[in-house]
Amino acid sequence: MQHAIRRRIAGAALIMGLVGAGAPALAAPAFADTPTTGTTATAPADLPSFSDLLRGVTVDYAEAHWNWTAWNDSTPVAFGADQDNYQCAEFVARSLAAAGLVPGLGPDDPQDSYFHYTAPNGKTYDLLLITDLPQYHNLYDYLMDSGLGTDVGDHPEQARPGDVVVTYAGPNGAKTHTGLVATAADGTTEATVDAHNRARNHYGYHFYAPSHLIRIEPLGLLTGFGANTDLGAAAAAPKSLMVTPKAAPKAAPKSSAPLLTRHDPAGPQV
């Protein structure tokens, strides 16, 4: 799994080098037909897009961490077991951060960095939370505000690896759960989801109903945060938008510091 992550990161880095370091270049197709003297450069049909590569890194992280006890404890739990110290929103947020999709935040950063994440728009988000609480901007809010996510409603047939699923199973249709799409529907099998609170790997999409699919478009960050901040001009800064994705080690060192005890009020999930 670690080798697969490294291969995807290498591919992403290659494309980033081809399109240039500046954000404006990233807004254009990575491999457009470019007229040259007597020739036209055309990408191979099977070459994955830059967005596909970043979604792939996200999925690789989820596949490698779906059964971890905590973000800094790789001790595996059984399928379906509780993960009280590594709940659903944190799992999705760390998977996105592994692909560089949470600017300035890495997959191995402490829980408090996710609890009090200040985004480029100046807002502070609680990325450990999916349930709507008036005093917090939660993970869903981050996805919408950043331009990274688009809520397309209940359309599992559109699910792609790296997209996010949000379940509305609380009172009055409140958000209660989230997971990451691991595989797309293939005509005979429905899309599958990796999720936490209770460790799930390639769990059927329909188990999370009623749900909405959040389509993840990595380059949406350029029109979301990038459109309202100076990210476009500062793409090469240390906390730039399209940083080289960081791969988490297969077994992160255990921390002696106590884990946060604040949890998503939705509690353990299916």
Side-chain angles (χ1 to χ4, degrees):
M1 183 62 68
Q2 189 175 19
H3 294 305
I5 294 174
R6 287 175 176 169
R7 285 197 299 271
R8 289 190 191 270
I9 291 173
L14 173 62
I15 291 183
M16 289 175 70
L18 289 171
V19 300
L26 289 172
F31 293 93
D33 287 351
T34 304
T36 59
T37 305
T39 63
T40 298
T42 304
D46 60 349
L47 188 68
S49 70
F50 178 71
S51 293
D52 288 339
L53 284 167
L54 291 183
R55 283 194 301 271
V57 174
T58 302
V59 173
D60 285 343
Y61 182 92
E63 294 282 86
H65 295 78
W66 70 272
N67 62 348
W68 279 37
T69 294
W71 70 275
N72 58 352
D73 184 353
S74 61
T75 305
V77 302
F79 184 94
D82 289 340
Q83 295 158 296
D84 291 335
N85 291 316
Y86 197 178
Q87 298 197 4
C88 61
E90 180 181 359
F91 172 64
V92 172
R94 288 187 184 275
S95 297
L96 295 170
L101 301 181
V102 187
L105 198 60
D108 298 325
D109 288 343
Q111 275 186 330
D112 191 67
S113 297
Y114 284 79
F115 185 13
H116 301 101
Y117 168 65
T118 301
N121 62 358
K123 286 185 180 180
T124 298
Y125 294 85
D126 179 358
L127 301 182
L128 306 178
L129 181 72
I130 193 61
T131 300
D132 291 316
L133 294 177
Q135 66 269 44
Y136 295 102
H137 300 296
N138 61 20
L139 175 63
Y140 180 90
D141 296 329
Y142 168 75
L143 294 175
M144 297 301 107
D145 293 349
S146 65
L148 180 63
T150 301
D151 190 331
V152 300
D154 187 14
H155 287 286
E157 76 282 358
Q158 297 181 19
R160 306 168 304 176
D163 286 343
V164 172
V165 178
V166 175
T167 304
Y168 294 77
N172 300 315
K175 300 180 186 72
T176 57
H177 193 33
T178 187
L180 193 83
V181 176
T183 62
D186 62 7
T188 59
T189 305
E190 66 177 334
T192 65
V193 176
D194 289 353
H196 268 216
N197 284 38
R198 291 180 181 168
R200 302 295 187 188
N201 179 245
H202 291 208
Y203 210 48
Y205 185 106
H206 76 275
F207 284 103
Y208 296 95
S211 294
H212 281 196
L213 178 71
I214 311 302
R215 179 181 297 132
I216 296 299
E217 175 46 63
L219 296 185
L221 288 170
L222 295 175
T223 57
F225 286 155
N228 299 303
T229 70
D230 60 356
L231 280 172
K239 290 189 176 183
S240 68
L241 179 61
M242 289 300 176
V243 297
T244 302
K246 295 190 289 185
K250 186 173 183 180
K254 296 182 181 180
S255 170
S256 59
L259 292 167
L260 291 177
T261 56
R262 176 225 170 277
H263 300 305
D264 192 320
Q269 302 296 331
V270 296

